Amino acid sequence: MRPEGDAEDTMKAKILIVEDEPAITDNIQYALETEGFETVCLASGSPVLPFMARSQADLIILDIGLPDVSGLELCKEIRKKFSTPIIFLTARIEEVDRIVGLEVGGDDYVTKPFSPRELAARVKAVLRRTRPSGGSSCAPNGVFHVNESKRQITYQGKILDLSRYEYEILRTFIRRPGHVYSREQLMDLVWEEPEASLDRTVDAHIKNIRSKLRAIEPDRDPIVTHRGAGYSLREDL
Ligand code: CA
């Protein structure tokens, strides 16, 4: 029998749950499977990268307090290779700033104790935001469209001719409009070997991206410079 209703709409996304407390894992798994998601559970951090290399996931739910590694450190490692959205589970409200901002690169978080239904709703919202259909993603305003498989970004319906680093930087911005990224974060996010690329400054790449955007729409600058802090993509495009 085919499931009815909105279970079909979740496209059977595969969710990787990384959590060491079996009771919490069971609750999450039940809530997500009820919503039509496929789930895979890991009880520690070390198998996560091998799993991702082998089989990928559409979204990761990542506990911060894992027995073998901090979820925050693991997220940084995941981010070096994968852009998979990550929702953190945390018992400590004071960790929240680090999680969604700054150096870690998480997409959302819930604090324990949480309702599994609320978490399922967050999962849907993050998936909608990061990959609404066909493996591509777009900013909420629809001005930008990212095609991950072709590594192409479209602006106002026109394909941008971007270098590899320009693509990585702009894609990072589009994933989180309004979020301010420092130069160091952009280096870490997009460069595989930051030390090897120090001469190729982030500023130079931003300048190139801006001029390519301006060539399409001269009167609009979607990238905001935050003096002393970094860069972000405008939220109100
Ligand atoms: Ca834990």
Side-chain angles (χ1 to χ4, degrees):
M1 251 176 68
R2 283 163 60 88
E4 289 181 7
D6 70 5
E8 290 291 291
D9 300 335
T10 58
M11 304 174 292
K12 286 264 181 281
K14 191 200 284 180
I15 314 296
L16 174 61
I17 303 165
V18 188
E19 163 64 66
D20 59 310
E21 290 174 60
I24 295 178
T25 305
D26 287 351
N27 280 337
I28 297 172
Q29 199 172 13
Y30 179 78
L32 293 178
E33 290 184 355
T34 302
E35 297 282 351
F37 293 105
E38 187 186 335
T39 60
V40 180
C41 304
L42 296 173
S44 62
S46 51
V48 170
L49 284 169
F51 173 87
M52 292 296 290
R54 207 168 58 234
S55 119
Q56 286 276 356
D58 296 300
L59 183 143
I60 304 171
I61 294 173
L62 184 55
D63 182 33
I64 291 186
L66 293 168
D68 54 343
V69 61
S70 150
L72 298 177
E73 293 305 315
L74 180 57
C75 179
K76 287 192 219 171
E77 294 304 308
I78 295 170
R79 277 283 168 270
K80 286 180 187 169
K81 290 188 177 151
F82 306 98
S83 59
T84 316
I86 295 176
I87 299 179
F88 279 107
L89 305 178
T90 176
R92 292 152 52 102
I93 191 77
E94 58 269 33
E95 285 171 328
V96 165
D97 284 349
R98 290 188 66 207
I99 294 167
V100 286
L102 304 177
E103 75 266 46
V104 176
D107 294 273
D108 204 349
Y109 64 91
V110 292
T111 50
K112 293 177 179 178
F114 58 87
S115 112
R117 287 183 55 141
E118 185 205 335
L119 177 59
R122 297 289 187 89
V123 167
K124 283 186 188 173
V126 170
L127 283 175
R128 217 177 292 128
R129 194 172 82 208
T130 52
R131 52 184 287 273
S133 63
S136 63
S137 64
C138 63
N141 49 70
V143 169
F144 288 98
H145 289 268
V146 180
N147 186 320
E148 302 252 355
S149 54
K150 291 185 179 169
R151 297 180 67 80
Q152 258 176 8
I153 298 177
T154 307
Y155 176 55
Q156 303 281 39
K158 297 194 176 70
I159 294 170
L160 293 163
D161 181 18
L162 301 170
S163 74
R164 178 180 155 207
Y165 294 134
E166 290 161 10
Y167 168 83
E168 297 288 353
I169 290 173
L170 191 54
R171 186 187 65 157
T172 299
F173 286 149
I174 293 168
R175 289 182 79 232
R176 296 190 60 197
H179 182 80
V180 179
Y181 291 92
S182 71
R183 289 174 179 81
E184 291 75 18
Q185 285 162 7
L186 291 171
M187 293 286 282
D188 285 349
L189 281 168
V190 304
W191 274 265
E192 281 163 11
E193 298 167 66
E195 295 80 14
S197 307
L198 280 175
D199 57 319
R200 312 184 52 156
T201 66
V202 170
D203 292 356
H205 290 300
I206 296 278
K207 195 175 160 198
N208 288 342
I209 294 170
R210 277 185 163 139
S211 82
K212 289 173 183 182
L213 297 177
R214 218 169 24 240
I216 291 172
E217 184 153 351
D219 297 330
R220 172 143 76 173
D221 184 0
I223 297 174
V224 185
T225 303
H226 301 262
R227 296 199 84 158
Y231 298 98
S232 68
L233 188 72
R234 288 181 71 101
E235 279 181 292
D236 57 341
L237 284 170

